[in-house]
Amino acid sequence: MSNRVLRGSGLGGVSFEDDRGVEFAPRQMITYDCPRGHVVEVTMAHDAEVPAVWECPHCGSEAARSTGEKPEPKQEKPARTHWDMLRERRSISELEELLAERVQLLRSGEIGPAHLHRTRATGKRSA
C-alpha cells in the first residue's frame, strides 16, 4: 500500500502558482437594496449585463438596484385558446358549413349518443 502513496505535496495541498503577472478583468461593484433593509453588493464583470433585481442572500426576497433602475416588464404571449387555434385552421364560413352538416347528421340519427335514437315501442305491455 505504501507504493501507491503520492510523494511530494499532499492531496488538496497548497498551489505553487502565484498571482504575479496575472491581469484581472475589469470589474464593477453593483449595489442592491433589499425591501427588508439588507444591502447586497455583487461584483460583476465591467461588460456584464447587470440585472435590475437580485435575490437577497440573507432573506431570499428580491433586492432592487440602489440606482432606482426598474426591471423591464416581461412581455408574455397571450394564452392561445381552443377557438384561436381553430380559427387558424378554418374560416367562419367553413365552420358554419361543418356545423350545419353535423346538426343534420345528429337529427337524422346517424351520429350522437345511442340513447337519443332508441325506437320506442308504441304498444302497451299487458300485465
Side-chain angles (χ1 to χ4, degrees):
M1 184 143 178
S2 64
N3 295 340
R4 296 182 185 172
V5 175
L6 293 175
R7 297 179 188 253
S9 65
L11 293 176
V14 179
S15 171
F16 295 110
E17 296 180 15
D18 60 6
D19 293 338
R20 283 182 284 170
V22 175
E23 198 171 314
F24 293 108
R27 295 178 275 179
Q28 61 180 337
M29 289 294 292
I30 308 297
T31 308
Y32 293 91
D33 295 325
C34 175
R36 295 187 181 170
H38 305 119
V39 176
V40 180
E41 290 185 342
V42 181
T43 305
M44 295 186 182
H46 186 68
D47 57 347
E49 186 177 324
V50 180
V53 293
W54 193 267
E55 183 179 334
C56 177
H58 304 288
C59 63
S61 60
E62 282 191 350
R65 295 260 328 249
S66 24
T67 58
E69 183 180 327
K70 301 284 183 190
E72 294 180 16
K74 295 181 183 178
Q75 294 182 356
E76 296 181 15
K77 294 181 182 178
R80 286 176 58 203
T81 63
H82 177 73
W83 178 250
D84 295 332
M85 291 183 273
L86 184 64
R87 288 284 307 165
E88 289 174 5
R89 297 188 309 269
R90 309 255 189 219
S91 67
I92 295 291
S93 60
E94 289 175 320
L95 291 172
E96 287 174 347
E97 185 179 325
L98 284 171
L99 178 62
E101 288 175 12
R102 289 300 180 175
V103 167
Q104 182 182 5
L105 289 173
L106 185 62
R107 288 183 178 150
S108 68
E110 293 182 43
I111 63 169
H115 71 276
L116 293 179
H117 306 297
R118 285 190 207 144
T119 56
R120 297 185 183 195
T122 56
K124 296 182 181 177
R125 278 206 250 174
S126 57

